[in-house]
Amino acid sequence: MFLSNSLRYHLRNRVINLGCWPGLIKEYQSWLPVSDETPIITLKEGGTPLIPAPNIEEYIGRGVTIYLKFDGLNPTGSFKDRGMTMAISKAKEIGSRAIICASTGNTSASAAAYACRAGMKAFVLIPDGYVAQGKLAQALLYGAEILSIQGNFDEALRIVRKTAESYPVTLVNSLNPYRLQGQKTAAFEVIEALGKAPDWLCIPMGNAGNISAYWMGFKEYYKAGYANSTPRMMGFQSSGSAPLVIGATVENPNTIATAIRIGRPVNRDKAIKVKKDSNGIFSTVTDKEIIKAYQILASREGVFCEPASAVSVAGLLKYRNEIPDCAVIVCVLTGHGLKDPSCAIGNNTATFHTGIKPDIKSITKLMGL
């Protein structure tokens, strides 16, 4: 069921105004815990597109409509910017001079960017050898102080939590409640773009903050009358790092999708409630299925996302036979493909010719002309 003409007009005006997008705090100020006293630290995050996926639609058939919510087009290349603009703005408001986080990569890049924008010091703990080079390069260039530990993400998070409890630094992982407040705005944008809520929302899960934030946003717009329904929340994890699916901590998570290589999600209870309240499904996909979806998105739809983002599409393809006819589905793509270039180089089907003589005859012969 679609929205009334008046609500559609209201939402359409938001879309028209994207040309002068002010950043998500100013755009959604009445929906967020900010005041006139809050210094807004922004890089004009949010306002990311819903990209149609016609080739995946054709493969699934049955009149299904599929969109990709590509949050890899945020300023630092991931959805983390939505929460970080809020977390850093509120930290600045209380006079904090330093922030700290544990990260598998995207959080570190985002935290470092917004901290330097705010004139604050950023400390980042990362698991040694488990952060993609593109993400590490960002954090370093933004000026963060990197502490690489001999352990995994869960151990890094334990340390930063205790540090923030005992020392004058603000924690900006998704335990920070302002992070999810910022991230919920993605659900607002989905409803505004579609004129209604989707039937399914497919989303990767690591620490499970994003699925919790989306559900918060969908519920708030539904309660306000901006949508006539809420979606079924379809959360997916890698089979090598699936604590929310198996219902137990994974001590040594392992997956090619490094952004969701988390064995002890801090938003576990919130996510379980989302699943129950939305009649959702939590399931796993293998690394092989993730790479297949990653390749399909790039080679068929022209969308280059990081491996963890492709988990949402891998899950959709796994459950394709259960999709209702004519359903509208949104798959969340959380990060840009340039975050992890080594994965792209090692997992493509392109032809790469080398050692070619620099003359037109050699070139055109290889081109089949």
Side-chain angles (χ1 to χ4, degrees):
M1 182 176 178
F2 285 81
L3 302 180
S4 67
N5 288 336
S6 61
L7 284 178
R8 286 178 63 80
Y9 177 78
H10 164 79
L11 300 180
R12 185 170 62 250
N13 279 348
R14 285 192 181 276
V15 176
I16 290 171
N17 288 332
L18 291 182
C20 53
W21 182 257
L24 66 84
I25 293 180
K26 286 187 177 179
E27 181 70 9
Y28 297 110
Q29 187 162 350
S30 63
W31 298 86
L32 297 169
V34 295
S35 69
D36 292 339
E37 305 304 314
T38 307
I40 299 175
I41 310 302
T42 181
L43 291 167
K44 305 300 183 182
E45 58 295 312
T48 57
L50 273 185
I51 302 174
N55 292 295
I56 299 175
E57 287 176 357
E58 183 180 0
Y59 173 71
I60 292 174
R62 305 198 316 279
V64 171
T65 302
I66 299 170
Y67 294 96
L68 310 170
K69 179 59 170 170
F70 193 19
D71 255 0
L73 296 181
N74 272 299
T76 75
S78 87
F79 78 99
K80 303 288 187 176
D81 295 348
R82 290 185 180 275
M84 209 57 70
T85 183
M86 277 293 300
I88 299 295
S89 293
K90 296 300 286 188
K92 186 77 172 177
E93 183 178 2
I94 63 172
S96 181
R97 299 176 64 182
I99 59 97
I100 191 169
C101 67
S103 181
T104 56
N106 283 328
T107 298
S108 67
S110 186
Y114 284 83
C116 76
R117 186 83 170 183
M120 300 166 69
K121 183 71 175 177
F123 296 95
V124 176
L125 266 69
I126 62 172
D128 190 19
Y130 289 100
V131 173
Q133 290 297 299
K135 302 172 188 180
L136 181 58
Q138 285 180 282
L140 290 168
L141 201 57
Y142 293 138
E145 191 161 330
I146 309 295
L147 297 91
S148 182
I149 68 164
Q150 296 176 2
N152 60 28
F153 169 84
D154 300 297
E155 292 169 304
L157 184 59
R158 177 181 56 80
I159 294 169
V160 299
R161 289 179 71 173
K162 290 188 71 67
T163 302
E165 289 169 2
S166 305
Y167 296 91
V169 292
T170 299
L171 180 68
V172 294
N173 282 100
S174 58
L175 283 161
N176 183 314
Y178 299 116
R179 280 278 308 275
L180 270 60
Q181 286 289 325
Q183 287 167 216
K184 75 182 182 184
T185 60
F188 298 167
E189 292 173 18
V190 168
I191 290 174
E192 290 168 6
L194 294 177
K196 66 171 188 174
D199 297 299
W200 283 16
L201 185 98
C202 298
I203 188 167
M205 296 188 300
N207 244 338
N210 213 25
I211 191 171
S212 304
Y214 264 93
W215 184 241
M216 187 193 309
F218 283 129
K219 286 195 302 178
E220 288 184 13
Y221 257 27
Y222 173 73
K223 185 177 180 180
Y226 287 0
N228 294 314
S229 63
T230 53
R232 191 178 192 192
M233 303 294 284
M234 310 291 286
F236 298 102
Q237 297 191 292
S238 166
S239 56
S241 181
L244 291 166
V245 179
I246 67 175
T249 297
V250 177
E251 295 297 341
N252 295 295
N254 185 37
T255 173
I256 195 169
T258 56
I260 57 171
R261 186 186 281 161
I262 296 169
R264 193 188 301 268
V266 297
N267 294 292
R268 174 185 175 276
D269 293 342
K270 290 187 181 75
I272 289 172
K273 191 172 189 308
V274 170
K275 178 185 175 184
K276 179 182 177 181
D277 291 350
S278 72
N279 189 31
I281 289 175
F282 287 179
S283 187
T284 63
V285 288
T286 65
D287 277 6
K288 184 177 180 180
E289 290 169 324
I290 293 169
I291 291 300
K292 180 179 178 182
Y294 172 74
Q295 292 171 336
I296 288 171
L297 283 163
S299 65
R300 300 295 303 280
E301 302 294 0
V303 177
F304 184 28
C305 66
E306 68 171 315
S309 296
V311 168
S312 62
V313 174
L316 173 69
L317 296 174
K318 180 175 180 177
Y319 278 83
R320 63 187 180 276
N321 293 328
E322 297 186 28
I323 300 172
D325 291 351
C326 302
V328 176
I329 298 172
V330 171
C331 292
V332 177
L333 304 184
T334 49
H336 200 283
L338 290 175
K339 292 280 191 172
D340 193 352
S342 61
C343 185
I345 293 169
N347 294 279
N348 67 80
T349 58
T351 301
F352 188 180
H353 299 286
T354 61
I356 306 165
K357 293 181 180 179
D359 61 72
I360 190 169
K361 184 176 181 181
S362 298
I363 296 296
T364 53
K365 181 179 179 181
L366 285 171
M367 293 171 65
L369 299 176

